[in-house]
Amino acid sequence: MNPPSRARSALPPDFSSQQFRQALGMFATGVTIVTAQAADGTLVGLTANSFNSVSLTPPLVLWSLSQKAGSMEAFSRGAHYAINILAADQQALATQFATKDIDRYAGVGFTRGTNGAPLLDGAVAHFECFNRSQYEEGDHVIFVGEVERCSHRSGASPLLYHGGKFYAEHPL
Protein backbone atom coordinates (compact mmCIF):
# COMPACT_ATOMS: atom_id res chain seq x y z
CA MET A 1 0.00 0.00 0.00
CA ASN A 2 1.42 3.37 -1.00
CA PRO A 3 1.34 6.25 1.47
CA PRO A 4 -0.91 9.15 0.49
CA SER A 5 0.85 11.87 -1.46
CA ARG A 6 1.37 15.17 0.29
CA ALA A 7 -0.57 18.11 -1.11
CA ARG A 8 1.53 21.00 -2.42
CA SER A 9 -0.85 23.67 -1.13
CA ALA A 10 -3.95 24.07 1.00
CA LEU A 11 -7.42 24.11 -0.44
CA PRO A 12 -9.12 27.52 -0.39
CA PRO A 13 -11.17 28.08 2.77
CA ASP A 14 -14.89 27.30 2.62
CA PHE A 15 -15.68 29.76 5.45
CA SER A 16 -15.61 33.50 6.06
CA SER A 17 -13.12 35.37 8.24
CA GLN A 18 -15.93 35.93 10.75
CA GLN A 19 -16.72 32.19 10.89
CA PHE A 20 -13.02 31.44 11.37
CA ARG A 21 -12.77 33.99 14.19
CA GLN A 22 -15.86 32.54 15.90
CA ALA A 23 -14.49 28.99 15.68
CA LEU A 24 -11.12 30.12 17.10
CA GLY A 25 -13.01 31.77 19.96
CA MET A 26 -14.17 28.34 21.12
CA PHE A 27 -10.63 27.61 22.30
CA ALA A 28 -10.30 28.88 25.87
CA THR A 29 -6.99 30.62 26.51
CA GLY A 30 -5.18 32.45 29.22
CA VAL A 31 -4.63 36.17 28.82
CA THR A 32 -1.19 37.77 28.69
CA ILE A 33 0.27 41.21 28.35
CA VAL A 34 3.54 41.30 26.44
CA THR A 35 5.77 44.20 27.49
CA ALA A 36 9.07 45.69 26.37
CA GLN A 37 11.19 48.79 26.42
CA ALA A 38 11.76 50.23 22.94
CA ALA A 39 15.20 51.42 21.84
CA ASP A 40 14.22 55.04 22.64
CA GLY A 41 13.20 54.06 26.19
CA THR A 42 9.46 54.12 25.51
CA LEU A 43 7.48 51.35 27.17
CA VAL A 44 5.30 49.24 24.88
CA GLY A 45 2.80 46.56 25.74
CA LEU A 46 -0.25 44.77 24.43
CA THR A 47 -2.81 42.19 25.41
CA ALA A 48 -2.33 38.83 23.71
CA ASN A 49 -3.88 35.41 24.06
CA SER A 50 -1.67 33.85 21.39
CA PHE A 51 0.81 32.47 23.93
CA ASN A 52 2.11 28.91 24.07
CA SER A 53 4.99 26.85 25.38
CA VAL A 54 7.37 25.43 22.76
CA SER A 55 10.20 23.61 24.53
CA LEU A 56 11.50 22.82 28.00
CA THR A 57 15.12 22.45 26.87
CA PRO A 58 15.94 25.10 25.93
CA PRO A 59 13.04 26.93 27.61
CA LEU A 60 11.06 28.45 24.70
CA VAL A 61 7.67 30.15 24.44
CA LEU A 62 5.85 31.78 21.53
CA TRP A 63 3.30 34.50 20.87
CA SER A 64 2.14 36.32 17.76
CA LEU A 65 1.54 39.92 16.74
CA SER A 66 -0.29 41.46 13.80
CA GLN A 67 2.09 42.86 11.21
CA LYS A 68 0.01 46.06 11.32
CA ALA A 69 0.50 46.57 15.08
CA GLY A 70 1.93 49.94 16.06
CA SER A 71 4.38 48.23 18.42
CA MET A 72 5.73 45.85 15.74
CA GLU A 73 8.98 47.77 15.28
CA ALA A 74 9.71 47.84 19.01
CA PHE A 75 9.09 44.11 19.41
CA SER A 76 10.77 42.99 16.18
CA ARG A 77 13.93 45.04 16.76
CA GLY A 78 14.18 44.66 20.52
CA ALA A 79 16.37 42.05 22.13
CA HIS A 80 14.09 41.33 25.10
CA TYR A 81 10.46 41.33 26.18
CA ALA A 82 8.37 39.98 29.04
CA ILE A 83 5.20 37.94 28.97
CA ASN A 84 2.91 38.58 31.93
CA ILE A 85 0.14 36.02 32.52
CA LEU A 86 -2.79 37.89 34.03
CA ALA A 87 -4.61 37.00 37.23
CA ALA A 88 -8.38 36.52 37.38
CA ASP A 89 -8.82 40.02 38.86
CA GLN A 90 -6.91 41.79 36.06
CA GLN A 91 -9.60 42.05 33.37
CA ALA A 92 -9.46 45.87 33.45
CA LEU A 93 -5.71 45.70 32.80
CA ALA A 94 -6.27 43.37 29.83
CA THR A 95 -8.79 45.84 28.40
CA GLN A 96 -6.47 48.80 29.02
CA PHE A 97 -3.57 47.16 27.14
CA ALA A 98 -5.91 46.23 24.27
CA THR A 99 -7.12 49.83 23.82
CA LYS A 100 -5.53 51.94 21.07
CA ASP A 101 -4.29 55.51 21.33
CA ILE A 102 -4.03 55.71 25.14
CA ASP A 103 -1.19 55.58 27.64
CA ARG A 104 -1.44 51.88 28.39
CA TYR A 105 0.84 52.23 31.42
CA ALA A 106 -1.25 54.95 33.12
CA GLY A 107 -1.81 53.87 36.72
CA VAL A 108 -0.16 50.48 36.18
CA GLY A 109 2.20 49.12 38.83
CA PHE A 110 5.26 47.26 37.60
CA THR A 111 8.92 46.60 38.22
CA ARG A 112 11.62 46.40 35.59
CA GLY A 113 12.90 42.99 34.66
CA THR A 114 16.61 42.33 34.30
CA ASN A 115 16.61 43.64 30.72
CA GLY A 116 14.17 46.52 31.23
CA ALA A 117 10.87 44.92 30.22
CA PRO A 118 8.04 45.74 32.65
CA LEU A 119 6.87 42.94 34.96
CA LEU A 120 3.28 43.81 35.85
CA ASP A 121 2.22 43.78 39.49
CA GLY A 122 -0.32 41.09 40.35
CA ALA A 123 0.34 38.83 37.35
CA VAL A 124 0.24 35.09 38.09
CA ALA A 125 3.46 34.49 36.15
CA HIS A 126 6.23 36.39 34.37
CA PHE A 127 8.54 35.18 31.61
CA GLU A 128 11.54 37.35 30.76
CA CYS A 129 12.55 36.43 27.23
CA PHE A 130 15.38 36.92 24.78
CA ASN A 131 13.88 37.62 21.34
CA ARG A 132 15.29 34.43 19.78
CA SER A 133 13.46 34.23 16.43
CA GLN A 134 10.59 35.59 14.38
CA TYR A 135 8.54 34.02 11.59
CA GLU A 136 6.19 35.87 9.26
CA GLU A 137 3.05 33.79 8.69
CA GLY A 138 -0.06 35.24 7.09
CA ASP A 139 -0.89 38.62 8.61
CA HIS A 140 1.08 37.97 11.82
CA VAL A 141 4.63 37.52 13.04
CA ILE A 142 5.30 34.61 15.40
CA PHE A 143 7.84 35.50 18.08
CA VAL A 144 9.80 32.72 19.78
CA GLY A 145 11.32 33.78 23.07
CA GLU A 146 14.06 32.02 24.97
CA VAL A 147 13.09 32.33 28.62
CA GLU A 148 15.93 33.71 30.72
CA ARG A 149 13.94 34.13 33.96
CA CYS A 150 10.47 33.16 35.12
CA SER A 151 8.39 33.36 38.26
CA HIS A 152 4.86 32.52 39.35
CA ARG A 153 2.43 32.87 42.25
CA SER A 154 1.36 29.42 43.47
CA GLY A 155 -2.38 29.02 43.87
CA ALA A 156 -3.26 32.22 41.97
CA SER A 157 -6.14 31.95 39.48
CA PRO A 158 -5.55 33.09 35.89
CA LEU A 159 -7.79 35.26 33.73
CA LEU A 160 -9.35 33.24 30.90
CA TYR A 161 -10.77 34.25 27.52
CA HIS A 162 -13.39 32.24 25.63
CA GLY A 163 -15.97 33.10 22.99
CA GLY A 164 -15.09 36.79 23.06
CA LYS A 165 -15.52 37.11 26.84
CA PHE A 166 -13.27 37.18 29.89
CA TYR A 167 -13.80 34.66 32.68
CA ALA A 168 -12.45 35.06 36.21
CA GLU A 169 -14.19 32.04 37.70
CA HIS A 170 -13.58 28.66 36.20
CA PRO A 171 -14.83 25.50 37.87
CA LEU A 172 -12.37 22.68 37.37
Side-chain angles (χ1 to χ4, degrees), residues 45-141:
L46 55 97
T47 301
N49 67 343
S50 60
F51 170 75
N52 203 10
S53 62
V54 175
S55 169
L56 293 176
T57 307
L60 302 176
V61 294
L62 68 77
W63 65 285
S64 64
L65 179 62
S66 170
Q67 290 188 26
K68 295 179 183 178
S71 56
M72 177 56 79
E73 183 176 347
F75 283 111
S76 63
R77 293 184 183 213
H80 292 87
Y81 52 81
I83 299 171
N84 301 269
I85 298 179
L86 298 187
D89 63 354
Q90 292 183 304
Q91 179 178 338
L93 194 61
T95 301
Q96 182 170 330
F97 273 80
T99 303
K100 294 182 183 205
D101 301 323
I102 66 164
D103 175 3
R104 292 179 174 173
Y105 284 91
V108 175
F110 64 89
T111 58
R112 297 285 185 135
T114 303
N115 289 296
L119 304 177
L120 303 179
D121 293 351
V124 298
H126 300 109
F127 298 90
E128 295 182 64
C129 301
F130 169 71
N131 195 352
R132 180 180 170 126
S133 54
Q134 301 167 31
Y135 303 93
E136 288 186 21
E137 290 293 340
D139 58 3
H140 277 64
V141 173

